[in-house]
């Protein structure tokens, strides 16, 4: 642990000094222009944040510290006999900025194993919720219950020097990442497996142990979890879950509170909840058509019906991407390798042929291509995990890696309270008539 922390400290001091120089020499350079439409329409394309862990290109997709998903699948260390990267390795890469060695990853796995104890009151808190509570609500409630363990909150209350914020945020982040699989698996087994809980296996990696506690021992499912928890980890800083975590953290809310805020955002159907919506939509389509293997014409008609009812086609479109999401492609490759004849997976591939031209023909959808959520559920169903309301929890466990690595950087670099300027439409109307300005001081 000290190793990782010391490495992080050295990297953060170096970057902190570089940012100081950048700001001293170029702090008043103008970055782009803001259009009125951007202020009203979700700030698309407006550069307003710095996030070190990953960068999204509209055409090429995500790069984590410069590495694409295919590169990560090749270069990151794998479990013995494994084919997919260990997500701990991606966490190391995002945190330290360098590809980890096998030993580095073993170290992170061991640290997470050591820190994974979940206090009993967290399980009692989950148990107090009605069984029909949505798994994402249970997940956020459990994270909030874990907040009693925050070292940052305790030390801040005792009086903490601002130079040391990062140190305790680092510890809280490691603890939280370590504990999430246990909490998430508990929610799954409670809701769907009659409370028949499975104890952790201290010899397994973070994702492998999660698969084990969920109750899926098939080695291929463990491989899927390693891939899944790697590709969902980060998508630069402006997406709702990353931005919410960063924003709430900027008020010096501790990592538990900040991460819970991000997870509330992830639970929205335009963001992470889309993975449950995709499978729900496909199951409903199968029921409506009376077949598990709809042909292209049937899918086309169902898509048109969905659109005519004023609904979105879940799993398609993106606020930044303008191509097929490489996270979709990685999952498609996994499917072609391990389950090429699975009917549901094949339906997902057929939908991929049918949907883009239909969305394109609407003339307003900026990205007709599939995103990560269009594929993930079908792979889970293949292994028997049909409980689609749970899927966003898996996404959330993975997303902890990116947003908490970023939170460590935010505090290490001393980033400020985030507080953009907002305006009223009345002020905008006056500005358009030449009566005053809409920008702040
Ligand atoms: N189906 C139908 N209409 C769609 C659509 C889709 N999949 N994607 C976009 N549109 C529509 C929008 O609703 C919008 O319509 P209005 O002008 O009538 O409001 C129009 O096309 C323009 O939208 P856009 O600029 O292309 O997309 P946004 O940046 O506003 O939104 C997103 C992006 C992802 C919310 C949107 O594409 C969507 O709703 N997709 C379906 C939900 C989904 O898959 N979300 C998961 C995203 C990945 C993730 O975060 O996990």
């Amino acid at each position: 642990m000290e190793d990782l922390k010391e490495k992080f400290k050295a990297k953060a001091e170096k970057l902190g000094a570089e940012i100081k120089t950048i700001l001293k020499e170029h702090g008043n350079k103008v970055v782009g222009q803001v259009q009125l439409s951007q202020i009203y329409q979700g700030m698309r394309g407006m550069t307003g944040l710095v996030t070190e862990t990953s960068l999204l290109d509209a055409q090429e997709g995500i790069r984590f510290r410069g590495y694409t998903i295919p590169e990560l699948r090749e270069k990151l260390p794998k479990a013995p006999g494994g084919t997919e990267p260990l997500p701990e390795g991606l966490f190391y890469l995002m945190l330290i900025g360098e590809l980890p060695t096998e030993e580095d990853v073993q170290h992170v796995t061991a640290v997470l194993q050591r820190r994974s104890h979940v206090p009993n009151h967290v399980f009692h808190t989950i148990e107090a919720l009605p069984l029909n509570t949505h798994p994402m609500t249970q997940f956020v409630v459990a994270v909030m219950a874990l907040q009693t363990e925050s070292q940052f909150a305790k030390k801040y209350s005792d009086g903490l020097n601002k130079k040391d914020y990062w140190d305790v945020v680092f510890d809280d982040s490691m603890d939280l990442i370590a504990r999430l699989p246990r909490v998430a698996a508990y929610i799954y087994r409670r809701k769907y497996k009659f409370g028949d809980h499975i104890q952790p296996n201290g010899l397994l990696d973070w994702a492998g142990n999660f698969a084990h506690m969920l109750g899926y021992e098939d080695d291929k499912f463990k491989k899927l979890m390693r891939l899944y928890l790697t590709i969902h980890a980060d998508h630069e800083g402006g997406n709702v879950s990353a931005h919410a975590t960063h924003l709430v953290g900027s008020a010096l809310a501790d990592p538990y509170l900040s991460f819970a805020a991000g997870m509330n955002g992830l639970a929205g159907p335009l963001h992470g909840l889309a993975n449950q919506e995709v499978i729900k939509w496909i199951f409903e389509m199968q029921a409506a058509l009376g077949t598990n293997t709809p042909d292209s014409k049937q899918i086309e008609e169902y898509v048109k019906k969905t659109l005519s009812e004023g609904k979105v086609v879940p799993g398609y479109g993106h606020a930044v991407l303008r191509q097929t999401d490489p996270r979709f492609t990685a999952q498609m490759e996994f499917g072609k390798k391990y389950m090429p004849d699975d009917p549901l997976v094949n339906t997902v591939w057929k939908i991929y042929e049918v949907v883009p031209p239909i969305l394109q023909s609407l003339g307003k959808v900026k990205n007709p291509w599939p995103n990560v959520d269009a594929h993930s559920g079908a792979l889970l169903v293949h292994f028997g995990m049909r409980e689609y309301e749970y899927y966003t929890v898996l996404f959330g466990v993975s997303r902890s890696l990116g947003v908490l690595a970023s939170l460590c950087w935010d505090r290490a670099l001393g980033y400020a309270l985030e507080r953009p300027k907002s305006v009223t439409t009345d002020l905008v109307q006056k500005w358009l008539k030449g009566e005053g300005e809409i920008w702040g001081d």
Side-chain angles (χ1 to χ4, degrees):
M1 178 66 177
E2 288 311 316
D3 255 17
L4 194 62
K5 204 188 244 186
E6 283 307 314
K7 268 188 202 165
F8 175 72
K9 184 170 183 243
K11 294 277 177 188
E13 278 169 359
K14 183 167 175 292
L15 187 64
E18 286 166 15
I19 291 172
K20 227 179 201 164
T21 309
I22 292 173
L23 290 178
K24 193 165 159 223
E25 292 174 6
H26 307 285
N28 53 10
K29 282 219 163 87
V30 175
V31 182
Q33 285 180 325
V34 176
Q35 291 171 356
L36 199 50
S37 59
Q38 290 175 294
I39 298 178
Y40 273 97
Q41 292 169 340
M43 299 192 276
R44 294 292 186 286
M46 194 193 283
T47 302
L49 297 169
V50 179
T51 303
E52 306 296 344
T53 48
S54 65
L55 187 68
L56 184 56
D57 179 87
Q59 302 301 326
E60 189 196 53
I62 192 71
R63 275 181 187 265
F64 299 85
R65 295 283 191 178
Y67 295 99
T68 62
I69 286 178
E71 286 166 351
L72 290 183
R73 288 179 82 190
E74 187 203 317
K75 291 180 196 297
L76 282 179
K78 299 169 181 63
T83 51
E84 299 302 334
L86 288 165
E88 295 93 312
L90 177 63
F91 177 68
Y92 182 102
L93 175 67
M94 289 190 289
L95 191 70
I96 304 295
E98 289 168 10
L99 276 176
T101 62
E102 302 262 348
E103 293 70 40
D104 291 330
V105 174
Q106 280 162 14
H107 176 66
V108 178
T109 302
V111 169
L112 295 179
Q113 279 285 6
R114 230 180 15 252
R115 293 179 160 240
S116 62
H117 173 74
V118 175
N120 270 338
H121 77 268
V122 176
F123 300 124
H124 295 155
T125 306
I126 298 170
E127 290 295 343
L129 295 167
L131 203 56
N132 65 1
T133 307
H134 192 280
M136 273 308 274
T137 309
Q138 298 196 38
F139 187 54
V140 174
V141 167
V143 171
M144 294 302 297
L146 266 173
Q147 191 266 347
T148 51
E149 309 308 294
S150 172
Q151 293 299 318
F152 181 87
K154 282 191 194 81
K155 294 229 166 115
Y156 190 88
S157 153
D158 293 345
L160 185 61
N161 188 316
K162 59 165 74 169
K163 287 198 190 74
D164 298 326
Y165 290 166
W166 73 271
D167 192 316
V168 234
V169 164
F170 186 98
D171 284 336
D172 273 0
S173 297
M174 294 303 289
D175 284 346
L176 183 49
I177 291 168
R179 289 161 164 163
L180 287 175
R182 176 93 169 101
V183 164
Y186 189 92
I187 292 165
Y188 181 73
R189 302 291 303 181
R190 170 184 188 242
K191 188 166 166 76
Y192 302 112
K193 304 291 170 187
F194 309 103
D196 180 13
H197 297 291
I198 299 171
Q199 290 306 307
N201 177 343
L203 299 175
L204 285 170
D205 54 283
W206 190 67
N209 190 29
F210 186 25
H212 158 74
M213 290 186 286
L214 287 167
Y216 292 83
E217 294 299 352
D218 186 334
D219 199 45
K220 289 199 204 89
F221 186 85
K222 291 201 172 85
K223 287 189 169 91
L224 175 62
M225 269 303 101
R226 290 176 190 126
L227 176 67
Y228 188 108
L229 299 182
T230 298
I231 62 176
H232 287 78
D234 209 32
H235 220 220
E236 75 169 34
N239 67 75
V240 172
S241 52
H243 190 190
T245 307
H246 165 80
L247 169 68
V248 172
S250 85
L252 298 186
D254 64 59
Y256 294 86
L257 299 173
S258 307
F259 178 66
M263 290 302 99
N264 280 312
L266 193 75
L270 296 189
H271 190 17
L273 205 80
N275 58 9
Q276 85 163 38
E277 294 300 295
V278 167
I279 288 300
K280 181 168 171 270
W281 180 79
I282 296 177
F283 284 169
E284 284 167 359
M285 171 168 69
Q286 289 174 339
L289 299 173
T291 171
N292 286 345
T293 51
D295 63 29
S296 300
K297 192 78 207 137
Q298 289 173 307
I299 294 173
E300 185 182 327
E301 268 153 33
Y302 197 78
V303 169
K304 287 184 177 160
K305 178 175 168 293
T306 301
L307 292 170
S308 73
E309 289 166 354
K311 299 175 191 165
V312 294
V313 180
Y316 281 76
H318 200 271
V320 180
L321 276 171
R322 296 296 175 256
Q323 285 292 342
T324 296
D325 190 334
R327 301 172 298 175
F328 178 92
T329 310
Q331 296 178 89
M332 191 155 94
E333 282 169 14
F334 188 93
K336 294 218 153 124
K337 185 166 173 188
Y338 293 112
M339 55 205 74
D341 301 321
D342 182 288
L344 184 63
V345 171
N346 275 272
T347 297
V348 164
W349 298 340
K350 215 169 264 169
I351 293 170
Y352 179 30
E353 286 164 17
V354 171
V355 168
I358 300 177
L359 290 183
Q360 241 152 2
S361 72
L362 297 180
K364 64 172 184 177
V365 181
K366 296 197 188 65
N367 179 39
W369 303 106
N371 58 59
V372 67
D373 302 311
H375 208 306
S376 51
L379 301 179
L380 297 166
V381 172
H382 174 83
F383 291 102
M385 190 185 266
R386 295 178 67 86
E387 304 92 351
Y388 53 72
E389 281 201 343
Y390 184 74
Y391 294 170
T392 313
V393 176
L394 299 175
F395 194 157
V397 171
S398 171
R399 191 46 61 104
S400 70
L401 300 176
V403 301
L404 292 172
S406 280
L407 202 62
C408 291
W409 277 101
D410 290 348
R411 296 291 75 77
L413 297 172
Y415 284 158
L417 174 79
E418 194 168 278
R419 201 339 184 154
K421 175 87 185 89
S422 72
V423 289
T424 60
T425 298
D426 181 48
L427 191 65
V428 169
Q429 285 164 334
K430 285 189 178 133
W431 170 70
L432 291 171
K433 285 191 229 150
E435 300 165 10
E437 304 296 357
I438 61 168
W439 50 85
D441 310 323

